[in-house]
Amino acid sequence: MKNVFIKIKNWWANHGPTKRRLIQLYSALLFNSYLKGYITGDIFKGITKNVCTPGLNCYSCPGAVTSCPMGALQNSFASSNKTAPYYMIGIIMLYGMIFGRWICGWLCPFGLLQDLLHKIKTPKLKKSRFTRVLSFFKYIVVALFVVILPLIYMMRDFPLPAFCKYICPAGTVGGALGLLVNPINEGMFGMLGPLFTWKFVLSISIIVGAIFIYRIFCRFLCPLGALYGLFNRFSLFGIKLEKDKCINCGKCISVCKMDIHHVGDIECINCGECISSCPTKAITYKGAKIILPDNEIDMAETEEEKLEIENKRHNRVKLISRITALVLALVLVGSLVYFNFIYDDGTNIIPEPDPGVTDNGNEENPDEDKITQGNKVGQLCPSYNLELVDGSGTISIKELKGKIVIVNFWGTWCGPCKQELPDFNDIANEYDGEVVVLTVHSVFNVQSKGEAPDYIAKNFADSKMIFAYDLPLSQASDMYFTLLGGTNSYPRTLILDENGIVAFAQDGKLEHAKLVEIIESIKNN
Amino acid sequence: MTNTKHGRYIAWATTACLVLLGIMFIICCAHLYFTGGDQPYSRERVGSYLIILAIPSAITVALVVSGFIYAYLTGAADDENAPRTSSELLESYRQRYDIFTFSEDVQKEISRERGNRTAFKLFSYIFSAVVLAVVFAYMMLIAEFSVETLNADVIAALTVALPLSVIALGIHVPRVYIAEASATRELEIMKGYIRENKPQRISRNDEAVGHGDTLLIAKCLMVAVAAALVILGIFNGGVSDVFAKAVKICTECIGLG
């Protein structure tokens, strides 16, 4: 038995994951601990989403419990005409100054995916002078997609997270595919179109490319790595080269798979793979004396002193490692338990709708089979009193019976919502008297509620559409939207027939031609 | 693993399968989109394509696993590292030898090589800067962007901006190759002189002392500035903006449209 145990221990020492791999796996699981999201088909809406994860981790991924810094940065630029983007600039600076690209090498979930893919046994494309030049392309991605395009559209009062929309593979792989595999989100298939086709093709190319080219996304495309790289030299943690010990043999550069010119430059992801290759042990981690003294060389006077100090350091490192591992394990277990079993987003408590609307409108025979209320096609749409945006009172669906009603859920912070509103406005004008368009603006964010009157006054001053606010349910949810949702994405549109029965429901943007087709179909039935 | 015959076969077979599988996924996706009409993607249609892809995927996975097993059983090593370039070797020689102790003729030759490299480097950087400035000016001043035709406008703008940006980067490709050739020549000159004359190496004690404390203070100041920006952002509503976006599925961001 003891021999078996020793064999297993030796096998683990030779083939088990390294410390770095364990930390990567740990951080990937910690940042995506809302495992319940994969079952419910929804995303986490708790308070930890105020915090940005250091690496690339899409906040529309079902498991994500924090925000993505890239998405949040673009949205900050997109709304910088209303709120100066101090928070996100500060976050990027803070992470960069403390960790630099150590985040890329140790904490980023998408970096972990690429590392694992690169382990597949195939011939590899090595770095070259050409790849060094290509590594500057990610700065062009930062300039065009993260800064210029969001700012240009900010000036047009339209939020456009261009990098997330046109490039980011983490969103497609983690977010889109993570949501689409769940049967609950079947309605999302209707939204897939040319954008999804482009992003899927790009994501597949990057994933296959990562097998042959080390960290293809990190080296050539990742804007987050580009920004952190600028701080690499100045960061408090990471790799450093002790110049007095360096003999310029260049082994560190040969061993490194990134396009570095020297250890610790803007391309270095501080993975530490070069440390063991250095013949003079000139490469260490910054802060190594406290945390990971792999290569400490002591300047003790006698051999006994040196041995004693080294033993003391070794014991101290062991103690710190064990305490740290215990604390981190407790944090992970605590996160998994809290996010999956304890956290309640408040959406399971839905108050009853207005009384007297559960019937099917048949006043002669009120006891006939009642139609069930709900958000599915064929169900009776529940009715609530909604506050009108112009402050003139309230409105509810039951008042609009007798006409076809289009209920559109939108927000001023939502680009596709703003894009489709003119089409709804045209429908309201063309079918005046037959069709009522009721737009319901999200209220969960107090600021966006305040923006709605100005936006409507500027763009739809004489519109025939009715503008109302949703009802607040919890910190992160709108009640009516949640009740009539099923998924948690804006825009959402319901079309009700003259009896208030749901005839059509869809997430995502709707165009004029499609709306006309549905309305004519309802009229003919 | 490619240093053994069977390892090579498995590696190349895996490569072929992975590339083909990737191409098949792309073709299926494109086929779904172009033949699907108004709603190209539905659970049923996607499911039927996935069934078609199941067998090639299984074969690929089997090959990948067999590659791992082979590498484990034979102890096959990973491929060799990239060789050092002349520029890197030259850098290490420069750290070890002071060229001002070399003969005048050798110094002239070395200076000429360095001068050529510097001139082309300067030209490349100026060229890149000018082209990138043109890109920036085009995006901000000339390109038309509207909300109604957003995707078309962005694609049209990027059709101009991206190739120009690639050109701005591309000028550095011949530069690095020319610089490498020049570095090789300079290295040969230095090696030849060192072989014949055996000049003295630079002593490590001659190197300048670093300003460690000043740098640490500057780093801590920058961390403090960053923290101050974060706190300012919390009070000016920046955090609630982040939260507002993060708790809703951004269908645009994940490619759902």
Side-chain angles (χ1 to χ4, degrees):
Chain A
M1 190 67 192
K2 197 177 172 185
N3 284 339
V4 169
F5 179 73
I6 290 169
K7 273 188 182 171
I8 292 171
K9 199 177 163 190
N10 287 339
W11 182 88
W12 185 260
N14 291 325
H15 298 99
T18 58
K19 255 184 248 175
R20 179 171 154 249
R21 189 71 70 229
L22 287 172
I23 291 174
Q24 283 180 302
L25 287 165
Y26 174 88
S27 62
L29 188 54
L30 183 68
F31 299 146
N32 295 284
S33 359
Y34 187 58
L35 302 175
K36 199 165 85 170
Y38 291 100
I39 300 168
T40 60
D42 200 0
I43 61 169
F44 183 69
K45 297 184 277 284
I47 196 166
T48 51
K49 280 226 157 149
N50 284 302
V51 176
C52 286
T53 178
L56 208 70
N57 195 45
C58 184
Y59 48 58
S60 293
C61 172
V65 296
T66 51
S67 296
C68 175
M70 238 333 99
L73 183 67
Q74 290 165 88
N75 285 312
S76 297
F77 285 142
S79 59
S80 54
N81 52 348
K82 296 164 199 127
T83 313
Y86 297 132
Y87 179 67
M88 279 319 302
I89 292 175
I91 284 280
I92 299 280
M93 271 184 71
L94 198 63
Y95 284 149
M97 279 307 305
I98 295 175
F99 299 110
R101 281 195 90 174
W102 185 86
I103 293 166
C104 302
W106 292 71
L107 296 180
C108 181
F110 201 69
L112 168 66
L113 176 66
Q114 292 172 87
D115 279 348
L116 293 175
L117 287 169
H118 198 70
K119 289 246 169 243
I120 294 174
K121 306 295 180 191
T122 61
K124 306 295 180 192
L125 276 166
K126 294 190 183 54
K127 66 180 183 184
S128 65
R129 292 178 282 276
F130 176 68
T131 60
R132 273 204 192 151
V133 171
L134 203 57
S135 66
F136 286 99
F137 186 74
K138 53 185 179 286
Y139 292 96
I140 292 172
V141 171
V142 171
L144 287 176
F145 290 90
V146 178
V147 179
I148 293 177
L149 281 172
L151 284 176
I152 286 173
Y153 274 91
M154 175 272 289
M155 291 189 276
R156 286 152 182 76
D157 199 21
F158 187 85
L160 177 64
F163 171 75
C164 297
K165 181 172 178 175
Y166 296 114
I167 299 181
C168 185
T172 311
V173 171
L177 297 183
L179 289 166
L180 288 171
V181 295
N182 195 313
I184 289 172
N185 295 321
E186 189 154 354
M188 283 186 173
F189 277 92
M191 298 165 71
L192 305 185
L195 180 64
F196 175 77
T197 308
W198 158 247
K199 287 205 75 188
F200 184 77
V201 167
L202 183 63
S203 302
I204 289 287
S205 307
I206 289 172
I207 285 170
V208 173
I211 297 169
F212 304 103
I213 303 172
Y214 183 70
R215 291 222 176 194
I216 184 174
F217 179 74
C218 302
R219 285 160 75 189
F220 308 128
L221 288 172
C222 183
L224 197 55
L227 292 173
Y228 286 152
L230 298 174
F231 297 99
N232 225 14
R233 235 187 115 204
F234 312 107
S235 63
L236 298 175
F237 287 101
I239 294 279
K240 71 174 178 183
L241 179 69
E242 291 180 31
K243 288 195 175 158
D244 54 340
K245 293 178 189 168
C246 177
I247 58 169
N248 291 300
C249 63
K251 282 191 179 153
C252 49
I253 300 175
S254 283
V255 156
C256 181
K257 298 190 191 88
M258 298 294 287
D259 302 288
I260 62 170
H261 285 264
H262 55 83
V263 166
D265 70 2
I266 57 173
E267 294 300 320
C268 177
I269 58 171
N270 299 298
C271 63
E273 303 286 327
C274 53
I275 290 178
S276 54
S277 71
C278 182
T280 59
K281 299 195 189 308
I283 304 172
T284 56
Y285 286 107
K286 296 177 196 175
K289 285 182 183 169
I290 301 167
I291 301 167
L292 292 166
D294 286 358
N295 301 308
E296 276 185 335
I297 294 176
D298 209 19
M299 299 301 289
E301 287 175 2
T302 65
E303 280 302 312
E304 287 88 13
E305 273 180 34
K306 190 176 171 182
L307 200 63
E308 196 186 324
I309 290 169
E310 279 183 358
N311 279 338
K312 269 190 191 166
R313 281 219 180 99
H314 181 72
N315 291 335
R316 189 178 67 198
V317 163
K318 235 170 133 176
L319 181 66
I320 291 172
S321 301
R322 284 179 182 168
I323 292 172
T324 309
L326 185 64
V327 167
L328 290 175
L330 285 173
V331 165
L332 181 62
V333 169
S335 302
L336 287 168
V337 167
Y338 173 75
F339 291 129
N340 294 290
F341 298 106
I342 299 173
Y343 166 74
D344 179 9
D345 64 5
T347 53
N348 56 348
I349 304 164
I350 309 283
E352 289 297 315
D354 292 343
V357 295
T358 54
D359 58 72
N360 56 10
N362 189 338
E363 291 173 357
E364 289 181 358
N365 294 297
D367 292 329
E368 275 186 6
D369 288 343
K370 291 185 170 39
I371 297 170
T372 51
Q373 281 197 91
N375 55 35
K376 307 261 184 313
V377 173
Q379 293 180 326
L380 187 69
C381 182
S383 184
Y384 293 86
N385 277 326
L386 305 175
E387 180 195 344
L388 291 166
V389 172
D390 60 12
S392 59
T394 62
I395 191 162
S396 71
I397 297 285
K398 64 176 180 176
E399 295 170 24
L400 304 171
K401 263 190 182 176
K403 292 183 187 170
I404 295 172
V405 180
I406 300 176
V407 185
N408 176 248
F409 293 89
W410 70 294
T412 48
W413 40 264
C414 166
C417 303
K418 284 177 165 178
Q419 264 188 313
E420 67 172 4
L421 273 182
D423 286 342
F424 284 102
N425 193 41
D426 291 341
I427 292 289
N429 290 331
E430 286 165 23
Y431 289 91
D432 186 24
E434 297 174 85
V435 174
V436 174
V437 178
L438 169 65
T439 69
V440 183
H441 187 272
S442 171
V443 294
F444 76 93
N445 178 287
V446 173
Q447 260 176 321
S448 66
K449 182 180 176 182
E451 289 162 12
D454 290 337
Y455 181 78
I456 293 163
K458 188 177 161 193
N459 296 284
F460 302 103
D462 299 318
S463 174
K464 292 187 166 55
M465 294 195 287
I466 303 172
F467 293 94
Y469 288 123
D470 203 331
L471 299 169
L473 174 63
S474 69
Q475 190 189 10
S477 291
D478 299 295
M479 192 187 81
Y480 205 13
F481 176 86
T482 304
L483 179 69
L484 299 182
T487 57
N488 202 24
S489 57
Y490 279 77
R492 177 155 179 84
T493 303
L494 298 182
I495 302 183
L496 316 178
D497 67 16
E498 291 90 342
N499 295 317
I501 308 290
V502 179
F504 176 83
Q506 184 175 298
D507 291 321
K509 213 169 62 167
L510 276 174
E511 299 196 341
H512 183 270
K514 181 73 180 174
L515 287 166
V516 167
E517 184 192 318
I518 298 161
I519 290 166
E520 292 301 326
S521 153
I522 294 171
K523 278 167 69 177
N524 292 337
N525 286 343
Chain B
M1 190 159 128
T2 51
N3 49 4
T4 63
K5 190 168 89 172
H6 292 113
R8 262 201 302 276
Y9 291 154
I10 294 173
W12 282 107
T14 310
T15 301
C17 280
L18 282 164
V19 171
L20 280 169
L21 189 66
I23 292 171
M24 283 177 75
F25 265 95
I26 290 170
I27 289 173
C28 286
C29 184
H31 193 256
L32 263 171
Y33 175 66
F34 287 113
T35 61
D38 282 343
Q39 280 204 336
Y41 297 95
S42 67
R43 192 168 275 277
E44 295 76 30
R45 288 192 83 214
V46 170
S48 61
Y49 279 79
L50 285 175
I51 290 168
I52 295 167
L53 291 167
I55 292 175
S57 302
I59 294 170
T60 308
V61 167
L63 270 170
V64 166
V65 169
S66 64
F68 281 112
I69 293 170
Y70 179 83
Y72 171 68
L73 291 174
T74 61
D78 287 337
D79 292 340
E80 288 174 7
N81 299 322
R84 290 194 73 188
T85 62
S86 294
S87 306
E88 289 159 4
L89 280 166
L90 189 62
E91 184 60 35
S92 74
Y93 270 79
R94 267 199 230 142
Q95 299 283 332
R96 285 182 268 171
Y97 296 96
D98 183 0
I99 66 151
F100 293 107
T101 60
F102 292 8
S103 69
E104 269 191 39
D105 293 336
V106 170
Q107 282 188 45
K108 269 189 193 162
E109 283 181 52
I110 289 173
S111 299
R112 193 173 53 236
E113 291 294 340
R114 286 188 188 177
N116 290 340
R117 284 203 303 275
T118 307
F120 198 20
K121 193 172 177 180
L122 200 64
F123 166 75
S124 307
Y125 279 118
I126 292 171
F127 180 86
S128 295
V130 166
V131 173
L132 290 173
V134 166
V135 169
F136 181 75
Y138 171 78
M139 293 289 285
M140 297 304 287
L141 302 170
I142 300 171
E144 302 217 342
F145 293 103
S146 73
V147 173
E148 291 79 24
T149 52
L150 181 141
N151 286 337
D153 290 342
V154 168
I155 291 168
L158 289 175
T159 308
V160 175
L162 278 176
L164 280 176
S165 305
V166 168
I167 289 168
L169 267 190
I171 191 69
H172 293 278
V173 173
R175 177 182 69 78
V176 297
Y177 280 96
I178 290 169
E180 180 66 9
S182 170
T184 307
R185 283 195 296 273
E186 185 179 328
L187 198 60
E188 289 308 312
I189 295 167
M190 283 185 81
K191 276 183 178 174
Y193 182 82
I194 291 164
R195 225 180 354 253
E196 284 171 17
N197 300 283
K198 296 188 183 8
Q200 212 175 8
R201 286 193 185 196
I202 294 172
S203 164
R204 286 185 199 284
N205 294 332
D206 295 345
E207 289 181 20
V209 176
H211 300 282
D213 289 341
T214 315
L215 200 57
L216 186 61
I217 291 167
K219 286 179 192 177
C220 292
L221 266 173
M222 282 194 69
V223 171
V225 165
L229 281 171
V230 170
I231 292 166
L232 200 60
I234 291 170
F235 285 108
N236 87 336
V239 176
S240 59
D241 279 347
V242 167
F243 183 74
K245 262 308 217 179
V247 293
K248 289 284 180 251
I249 296 172
C250 178
T251 54
E252 233 187 342
C253 302
I254 58 177
L256 296 186

